[in-house]
């Protein structure tokens, strides 16, 4: 919170160095990087050890990211969706879906191309066979970067990668996905220049933002303590229902899916057993329902601003997981990941240029694949709080197509490896 306070205080300066700095570097990116530097320097730690009085080593880890992603993220989605204009979201049109699927295709073809290119430098990369084969490990990245954690676990199960080596792949996932997210956040600060180069039509997005802003202005009031408490009740009440329902739906669908005889079909629907998937989906559905009631008037008391506070806290906790020095470990696999993500990015840029899609669709379409429901709303809300729901809806597509698209990617990587 101290780091976030420094970011907002410095960003509020209208003259001098900070004014020029934040015209180049977005505040959201700085909010992400300060905790990363604190972790890298050792001032804070996601994991640490202490020695007890009887000389036993005790391992500890922070639960801040878990708290932020499981409680503050769905609460933020509720508060940002309260004033949503659903018709306006659908008016954003087909380009959002095209950019999402362009991102998916970028991941599917990026994996085998990256593996083939880096294998020219280090042939050993595709020489390993059996459970230790690199292509098996990379299959888990494909699952994560198209869908999410549930899809990643499904790929681990399908292709039987050596679980002792799995931690290395998870690390590559975190490093490469975070570097790409950082670049996207920097791009948000230059979105007008990007849109001009893409010759993008941003009218639908601007219309939606204007409509929500005008509604917010029409119901604007100085929030009372009662308003704030009711806003908190709406947000966390919805989150509690979402958690309650997901605790039943996740295990129920996990059982249903595990009883499917065909292994391919079974793994395609693995995401339905994820409590996180149900929790995010249900919280968003509750908020969409509330947007048709008088609850939407709490936008005038600052509902989406409270949601933005929660999003920034989540961004900071994501940054806290990042030790920048570890980028130099697992160098070859990280290089594969970086080339893979570059292909994903180039395809997105090419398609955006072709269909004249705004940078918003490029950024959110990519994060709905690579980051899923945890980061797509962050990127979407950086454009405007009312757009967070677009990130969630596209991320749900990612969960749905994640495993089957990742299987396609893995088959190509297997062919490249000659296995």
């Amino acid at each position: 919170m101290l780091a976030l306070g420094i970011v907002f205080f410095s960003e509020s300066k209208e003259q001098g160095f900070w004014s020029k700095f934040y015209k180049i570097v977005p505040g959201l990116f700085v909010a992400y990087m300060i905790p990363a530097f604190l972790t890298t320097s050792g001032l804070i730690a996601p994991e640490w050890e202490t020695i007890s009085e009887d000389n036993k080593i005790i391992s500890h880890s922070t639960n801040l990211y878990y708290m932020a992603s499981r409680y503050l993220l769905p609460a933020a989605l509720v508060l940002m969706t309260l004033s949503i204009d659903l018709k306006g979201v659908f008016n954003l049109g087909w380009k959002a879906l095209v950019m999402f699927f362009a991102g998916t295709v970028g991941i599917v073809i990026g994996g085998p191309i990256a593996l083939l290119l880096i294998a020219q430098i280090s042939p050993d990369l595709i020489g390993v066979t059996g459970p230790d084969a690199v292509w098996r490990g990379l299959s888990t990245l494909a699952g994560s970067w198209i869908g999410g954690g549930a899809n990643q676990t499904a790929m681990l199960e399908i292709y039987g990668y050596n679980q002792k080596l799995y931690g290395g792949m998870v690390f590559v996932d975190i490093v490469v996905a975070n570097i790409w997210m950082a670049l996207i956040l920097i791009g948000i600060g230059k979105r007008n220049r990007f849109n001009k180069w893409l010759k993008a039509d941003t009218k639908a997005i601007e219309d939606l933002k204007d409509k929500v802003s005008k509604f917010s202005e029409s119901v604007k009031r100085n929030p009372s303590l009662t308003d704030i408490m009711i806003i908190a009740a709406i947000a966390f009440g919805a989150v509690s229902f979402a958690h309650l329902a997901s605790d039943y739906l996740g295990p129920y669908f996990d059982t249903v899916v595990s009883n499917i005889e065909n292994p391919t079909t079974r793994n395609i629907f693995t995401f339905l057993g994820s409590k996180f998937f149900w929790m995010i989906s249900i919280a968003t559905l509750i908020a969409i329902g509330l947007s048709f009631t008088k609850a939407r008037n709490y936008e005038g008391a600052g509902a989406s601003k409270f949601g933005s506070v929660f999003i920034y806290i989540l961004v900071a906790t994501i940054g806290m997981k990042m030790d920048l020095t570890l980028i130099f470990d697992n160098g070859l696999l990280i290089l594969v990941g970086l080339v893979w993500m570059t292909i994903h990015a180039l395809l997105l840029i090419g398609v955006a240029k072709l269909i004249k899609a705004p940078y918003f669709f490029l950024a959110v379409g990519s994060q709905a694949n690579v980051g899923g429901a945890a980061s797509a709303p962050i990127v979407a809300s950086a454009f405007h709080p009312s757009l967070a729901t677009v990130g969630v809806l596209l991320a749900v597509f990612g969960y749905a197509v994640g495993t089957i698209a990742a299987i396609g990617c893995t088959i190509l990587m297997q062919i490249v490896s000659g296995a």
Side-chain angles (χ1 to χ4, degrees), residues 310-329:
F310 298 156
I311 287 288
Y312 269 90
I313 293 171
L314 174 62
V315 168
T317 63
I318 293 172
M320 287 171 66
K321 294 164 63 181
M322 186 72 173
D323 183 343
L324 299 171
T325 59
L326 295 177
I327 292 171
F328 303 105
D329 296 346

Side-chain angles (χ1 to χ4, degrees), residues 17-34:
F17 168 77
W18 290 115
S19 173
K20 293 172 185 174
F21 176 80
Y22 284 109
K23 282 178 182 173
I24 301 168
V25 183
L28 194 64
F29 173 71
V30 182
Y32 171 83
M33 287 305 294
I34 290 178

